[in-house]
Amino acid sequence: MKKYLKNIMAGTMVFAMAAALAGCGSNEPAPAEDGGEKVEDAGTLIMATNAEFPPYEFHEGGEIVGIDAEVAAAIAEKLGMGFQIEDMAFDSIIPAVTSGKASFGMAGMTVTEERLQNVDFSDSYATGVQVVIVKEGSAIATVDDLFAEGANNLVGVQTGTTGDIYATGDIEDEGLGTIERFNKGADAVLALTQDKIDCVIIDNEPAKEFVAANEGLVILDTAYAEEDYAICFAKDSELTEQVNGALKELIADGTVQSIIDKYINAE
Ligand code: GLN
């Protein structure tokens, strides 16, 4: 029985759609207040993200690009709205959305029951897998080794991600190791190359990019957890229905797949 292999999506769309249907009011995003200052112009979608997560969002030539950035821009275009990206720490995204500083969060973000307590999610537009990166020849040969009796590893994660949440529950809380939290996945990978930690738990697509960019690292064949990515919104935001409607159309007409192919499958 692998208690750590999670498929946490089941049933979540029902919540998100019920919330979307319950939303009502004007079609304009509500202007948000921050210390009395208007931070969101009506008609501009502000996407909160953490642009350290290739190929979903990353910096390239002074710009933030990636699958999420392009899908969100296509949504804004379909809705005839302006579009802006706010880059922040991953664990600041949900607070930015719930406080109204951002219209939505899009960051390869996994739908989880805990997050659904605070935000609503769109339909899922991509899937992810939590994987384990080790140094070649590591004593950790399979995911099961992390949970073996007497295991005592230093496990790197990005703060506030599902990798952090699972590893904390399955490893740290079980006395099977210590979690080292980093602001960026790339920093965790750097620490691994420097032998400061024993492995990194992170989403598979960024993992592939980090392994390709660093000599001597491998991704274990066995997956830790399978996940669904979706866009998050403040609860009961009228934007949920609008943005999700545009997303559905972009999924149906193949736009989302062609953006994913451009960044992943075509490589
Ligand atoms: N999918 C993971 C999560 O939602 C990681 C996302 C990220 O680091 N951008 O927690």
Side-chain angles (χ1 to χ4, degrees):
M1 175 68 191
K2 290 179 181 168
K3 77 179 167 69
Y4 52 86
L5 188 66
K6 300 170 169 78
N7 188 340
I8 46 195
M9 185 56 190
T12 52
M13 280 335 300
V14 178
F15 281 102
M17 291 318 297
L21 290 171
C24 55
S26 81
N27 288 329
E28 302 286 318
E33 299 291 326
D34 180 32
E37 222 179 288
K38 194 173 159 189
V39 295
E40 183 185 327
D41 290 324
T44 296
L45 288 176
I46 300 176
M47 164 176 152
T49 198
N50 172 240
E52 305 293 342
F53 197 70
Y56 290 92
E57 41 270 323
F58 56 102
H59 294 271
E60 193 176 78
E63 259 189 281
I64 293 171
V65 297
I67 294 167
D68 291 345
E70 285 203 27
V71 170
I75 289 170
E77 196 185 339
K78 196 170 257 300
L79 297 175
M81 298 171 91
F83 178 58
Q84 196 177 310
I85 298 179
E86 292 288 336
D87 188 18
M88 60 191 72
F90 183 77
D91 56 355
S92 297
I93 296 172
I94 287 181
V97 167
T98 56
S99 68
K101 286 182 188 163
S103 316
F104 58 81
M106 196 169 183
M109 187 181 283
T110 305
V111 179
T112 71
E113 293 300 331
E114 291 91 337
R115 290 175 183 161
L116 278 163
Q117 308 289 311
N118 298 308
V119 290
D120 292 331
F121 278 100
S122 69
D123 285 18
S124 177
Y125 61 91
T127 53
V129 181
Q130 293 297 310
V131 296
V132 181
I133 309 176
V134 294
K135 272 196 144 174
E136 273 169 16
S138 167
I140 305 166
T142 70
V143 172
D144 291 288
D145 291 341
L146 293 173
F147 313 106
E149 221 187 302
N152 186 19
N153 292 299
L154 279 172
V155 178
V157 298
Q158 188 185 358
T159 309
T161 60
T162 48
D164 181 2
I165 296 162
Y166 303 158
T168 301
D170 293 343
I171 297 171
E172 197 160 65
D173 294 353
E174 299 292 327
L176 296 172
T178 306
I179 311 305
E180 296 276 337
R181 295 176 182 81
F182 296 85
N183 287 329
K184 303 175 185 179
D187 291 347
V189 171
L190 179 66
L192 177 62
T193 63
Q194 297 169 339
D195 291 317
K196 290 180 180 159
I197 54 176
D198 299 306
C199 66
V200 174
I201 298 176
I202 195 163
D203 302 53
N204 58 332
E205 291 303 334
K208 283 192 229 163
E209 303 233 359
F210 294 141
V211 166
N214 290 279
E215 289 278 302
L217 300 183
V218 287
I219 299 171
L220 298 184
D221 293 338
T222 45
Y224 191 126
E226 287 154 29
E227 308 183 317
D228 290 287
Y229 294 165
I231 304 171
C232 72
F233 302 88
K235 276 201 169 293
D236 302 327
S237 162
E238 60 261 31
L239 272 177
T240 311
E241 205 179 344
Q242 276 182 279
V243 170
N244 200 37
L247 175 66
K248 274 176 193 288
E249 285 176 32
L250 293 166
I251 291 172
D253 72 9
T255 305
V256 169
Q257 191 57 53
S258 68
I259 293 169
I260 292 173
D261 288 345
K262 175 175 153 190
Y263 284 94
I264 298 178
N265 303 343
E267 269 170 19

